[in-house]
Amino acid sequence: MATSLNPFGCSMLLIITLLSPLLFRTCTGTFIQPALQQLFGSAPAAAAQAEALTMLDVVINMPRIRIEGARYKVPELDEPGAVDFAKQLMAMAAAGNDCSTEWLTAVRNFFTSHVANVTTKIPDVFGKRQAFPALRRMVLAQLVKAWLTRMQRQVPTYLEDGFQQMFLEMYEAHRVVAIRKGIMEYFHISKAGGTSWCHAAKNNGCRAQVYDSAYICQIGQFDDRVRWLNGTFHARRTGRGVRWGTWGRAQRHTNLTTCAQRHEFAALMGYQYFSNEYTLHEGFDDPENVGICPQFFNVIIIRHPHKRLLSHLKFVVMQMKWDYRDNDLFNRTYWSTDSRFWDEFGPVLVDNYMLRGMLGEKVYHAPIGSLGAPEVARACAILQQYDLVIDLEDGHDVVDQIMELGVGWPHTLREIHDKDSVKAAQRLNLTYEPYIPQDLDYLYDRQAPDMEWYNFGRYLVKLDTLLLSVAKSLGAKPLPWLDFEKLHGNPHATLCGLLRRGPRLPNSTEERWMPNEFQSQVNAEMQAARQAAAAKAAERAMRAKAMRAAKMAALAKMQGQRRLAADVMDEEFEKKGMV
């Protein structure tokens, strides 16, 4: 097979002989240049290019933070050879030798040797479980930076074939490791498409603990529930309780606090999917140790902070309108509020909500205005480690491609639109504007740290889109033996896409984790708990009904007594009149 890969040397030929039919190919055509042009070439203005280069440098230098002694949690850099590879890439960049044939050889050698059997068509489910997404993005950022500067926005013809093979191998690493992990932890940033994502997990046949009508999709034993509102403040102001009123209670009510404990529980239960709407992990005692759990396939959707904030405020107002059933109290509480009210009632909602969740329980409950540049840097380093980052603002075409290629889910968010605030307002005869803070622009300005983090995330999304779009153009598929077109309308046939083999414990010899006594026991306990909760709810309803009946009876008795007294008085008057 004639190839243009000879410059990579004999060591590369040995690797290529292991390639799957998809990867063992003669590269023809130009695919890298149009993808770079589409994603990074539309804004040649100096200011736009300066911003792009700044963001790309952050991606490129993220490993340096850890290498130079910061205590950030970056699990993939703990893997053998990862730090040396990052140092090699940085040294090549410093020498102006990145995106050369030598650089390509280093990149391809790393990904094909550090993800065991990356080049087999049907992945070995027992191989390594690290796809190195942070280093993958570092590689792609170096390519984009070189294209914007030294290459003068034109990929050299002699590098095209090598780049194509590199893209296929990095995509294959992502695909294989997703299959090996078998469990997705979706970090649910509130009001950023999380309920729709959970709905999509159901549509794609993923096993989860529960798919309720709200599509929260959490594991109850993890206590990843939201803590949005200050219940104490609300009680002082209104004299009543409030849902989500647990802001200030930082610690999770669970013994499953470490990544290893969370993974073991989810794997034993056979779950393929769950979401977490509170904070990331292992940072309660030490906020600098917070991060993702590398045992899971980690996905996150980000959203423009101003849109997210407004959506969150509307959602809370709508829910309070529903809960109160008392228009007078509702209006007294929420009409014509300002930032001072929301700083007390929902501080986490209106002060860089996305950063707070990314940085753990202590930061989530930190005072208003306490987040700045150090927190942004740490959150950016964490975000770069996600297997997939999705921007809700990108529209269905981009999001669909990421879901289909990146997760193997043919049923995408295009099919779903949960919790429509306009429809909810119509049902409640609610106009949002009088209840939104009067100084909303001031609250928008306060989201500057979230905006920095979000803007960085948008470049990670572009890098992911670059990888997936090129891989798709080259014929890559998440599950090569499945025709996605035939799976539409049949969610169960998808079997959760790349997670279809299901979870396994680290030392398991089973290709699929089957139901067992532990799963049956926990399911029975949960069913019993649900039944007990339902019985208590029914008992409370009966008591409330009895109290209402007693009040009605007392009222009727009082009215009867008043009528009797009135009749007696009428009789007296009549008697006096007769005298």
Side-chain angles (χ1 to χ4, degrees):
M1 181 177 183
T3 74
S4 59
L5 298 175
N6 290 333
F8 298 116
C10 296
S11 62
M12 211 60 204
L13 291 176
L14 178 61
I15 295 172
I16 294 173
T17 60
L18 301 173
L19 294 176
S20 69
L22 177 61
L23 299 179
F24 184 47
R25 62 194 296 278
T26 300
C27 300
T28 58
T30 301
F31 296 99
I32 312 299
Q33 176 65 28
L36 286 167
Q37 184 65 41
Q38 180 182 2
L39 289 164
F40 296 95
S42 60
Q49 176 151 322
E51 180 191 69
L53 292 176
T54 298
M55 292 297 182
L56 292 169
D57 279 336
V58 175
V59 178
I60 291 166
N61 289 301
M62 190 277 274
R64 188 189 301 277
I65 298 171
R66 172 69 180 278
I67 292 168
E68 293 179 351
R71 295 174 57 230
Y72 290 2
K73 182 179 179 181
V74 188
E76 66 187 79
L77 292 181
D78 294 330
E79 295 289 323
V83 167
D84 291 339
F85 175 59
K87 289 179 177 178
Q88 183 181 16
L89 292 183
M90 287 187 283
M92 285 184 169
N97 196 33
D98 52 335
C99 299
S100 63
T101 54
E102 294 82 6
W103 178 87
L104 270 168
T105 301
V107 171
R108 295 183 59 199
N109 270 324
F110 179 81
F111 279 94
T112 53
S113 62
H114 285 76
V115 184
N117 290 331
V118 69
T119 52
T120 59
K121 184 175 182 181
I122 299 179
D124 175 6
V125 298
F126 306 118
K128 297 177 182 178
R129 302 190 191 185
Q130 180 56 263
F132 303 97
L135 293 178
R136 177 190 81 211
R137 294 182 178 110
M138 179 186 183
V139 167
L140 293 173
Q142 285 189 324
L143 169 59
V144 174
K145 182 180 179 181
W147 181 78
L148 287 170
T149 55
R150 292 198 315 272
M151 294 181 189
Q152 297 184 344
R153 299 177 179 241
Q154 183 62 53
V155 175
T157 304
Y158 73 94
L159 290 175
E160 175 74 23
D161 287 358
F163 282 148
Q164 289 183 18
Q165 295 292 353
M166 179 189 77
F167 272 77
L168 287 171
E169 288 160 5
M170 287 195 294
Y171 174 70
E172 188 72 357
H174 166 86
R175 186 181 79 88
V176 167
V177 169
I179 292 173
R180 289 174 184 165
K181 288 184 175 182
I183 313 176
M184 177 191 296
E185 176 172 352
Y186 170 74
F187 187 64
H188 181 172
I189 294 175
S190 302
K191 316 319 299 173
T195 53
S196 295
W197 187 269
C198 294
H199 196 156
K202 180 182 181 182
N203 286 356
N204 285 285
C206 299
R207 294 195 306 273
Q209 185 174 94
V210 61
Y211 286 110
D212 57 12
S213 59
Y215 289 100
I216 298 172
C217 309
Q218 295 178 6
I219 293 178
Q221 290 82 356
F222 290 171
D223 190 20
D224 292 330
R225 290 181 287 272
V226 298
R227 286 121 164 107
W228 289 344
L229 304 177
N230 186 337
T232 303
F233 169 81
H234 184 269
R236 287 200 309 266
R237 191 176 181 99
T238 66
R240 56 176 292 163
V242 65
R243 68 169 73 203
W244 313 309
T246 50
W247 187 83
R249 303 176 195 173
Q251 194 163 13
R252 286 173 164 91
H253 294 288
T254 178
N255 294 323
L256 305 170
T257 57
T258 69
C259 288
Q261 290 169 332
R262 289 168 68 93
H263 179 261
E264 181 181 25
F265 182 87
L268 285 169
M269 294 296 291
Y271 299 143
Q272 294 167 295
Y273 173 80
F274 70 96
S275 71
N276 166 18
E277 202 175 356
Y278 183 28
T279 71
L280 293 187
H281 316 297
E282 298 187 343
F284 183 78
D285 296 318
D286 180 5
E288 288 196 4
N289 192 51
V290 73
I292 61 169
C293 291
Q295 297 91 333
F296 299 119
F297 181 75
N298 290 284
V299 177
I300 186 172
I301 296 180
I302 60 176
R303 187 181 187 185
H304 191 289
H306 297 177
K307 293 183 179 180
R308 194 219 65 80
L309 170 61
L310 181 58
S311 177
H312 211 156
L313 292 172
K314 286 182 176 180
F315 181 73
V316 170
V317 167
M318 179 271 293
Q319 194 62 60
M320 295 303 106
K321 169 80 169 176
W322 172 264
D323 287 351
Y324 278 26
R325 307 294 176 91
D326 181 338
N327 285 330
D328 182 57
L329 177 60
F330 171 73
N331 287 331
R332 289 202 314 271
T333 306
Y334 297 99
W335 186 278
S336 193
T337 59
D338 59 16
S339 59
R340 291 173 297 177
F341 169 83
W342 289 96
D343 283 351
E344 291 279 354
F345 182 45
V348 68
L349 272 60
V350 295
D351 190 73
N352 300 289
Y353 181 84
M354 294 192 288
L355 276 190
R356 288 171 179 269
M358 291 292 289
L359 296 176
E361 298 95 335
K362 293 290 180 66
V363 174
Y364 186 94
H365 297 273
I368 292 282
S370 60
L371 275 60
E375 288 76 23
V376 173
R378 195 157 75 242
C380 287
I382 294 171
L383 188 62
Q384 189 167 332
Q385 300 170 55
Y386 270 82
D387 292 285
L388 284 176
V389 181
I390 300 168
D391 182 3
L392 194 65
E393 312 298 339
D394 272 339
H396 286 306
D397 290 342
V398 174
V399 174
D400 284 2
Q401 179 173 269
I402 294 176
M403 293 182 73
E404 291 180 359
L405 271 289
V407 193
W409 285 2
H411 298 280
T412 65
L413 299 188
R414 191 187 297 268
E415 304 172 15
I416 305 156
H417 190 56
D418 291 321
K419 294 185 178 178
D420 188 311
S421 62
V422 175
K423 292 181 179 178
Q426 290 173 347
R427 287 196 299 269
L428 292 171
N429 192 27
L430 170 66
T431 301
Y432 286 113
E433 283 68 23
Y435 306 99
I436 299 302
Q438 294 178 319
D439 53 351
L440 184 61
D441 287 340
Y442 166 71
L443 287 176
Y444 284 161
D445 291 342
R446 277 204 337 213
Q447 312 312 307
D450 259 7
M451 278 299 306
E452 287 187 55
W453 179 80
Y454 169 72
N455 286 333
F456 172 75
R458 291 178 62 229
Y459 279 87
L460 297 184
V461 176
K462 284 189 174 186
L463 294 174
D464 287 357
T465 305
L466 175 65
L467 171 67
L468 297 176
S469 61
V470 170
K472 184 176 182 178
S473 298
L474 294 169
K477 296 181 178 180
L479 300 166
W481 58 91
L482 284 182
D483 183 352
F484 269 18
E485 293 300 320
K486 295 180 180 178
L487 294 180
H488 283 284
N490 185 5
H492 297 291
T494 310
L495 298 176
C496 206
L498 291 176
L499 312 174
R500 63 195 294 112
R501 287 182 178 268
R504 288 159 303 283
L505 294 175
N507 298 319
S508 172
T509 59
E510 298 289 337
E511 286 201 6
R512 297 173 186 267
W513 193 258
M514 303 302 293
N516 53 43
E517 291 181 3
F518 180 79
Q519 182 182 29
S520 301
Q521 175 189 339
V522 174
N523 283 341
E525 291 173 355
M526 290 191 62
Q527 181 64 25
R530 290 193 188 103
Q531 290 174 349
K536 286 184 178 179
E539 183 181 348
R540 287 196 299 270
M542 289 180 63
R543 286 201 303 267
K545 184 177 180 180
M547 289 177 64
R548 286 195 298 271
K551 287 181 180 179
M552 292 295 292
L555 181 60
K557 184 178 180 180
M558 185 181 300
Q559 290 173 341
Q561 289 173 341
R562 286 174 179 169
R563 283 196 298 270
L564 180 60
D567 291 342
V568 170
M569 290 179 67
D570 287 344
E571 289 179 6
E572 290 294 326
F573 286 134
E574 287 178 4
K575 289 178 181 179
K576 291 179 179 178
M578 289 175 63
V579 175

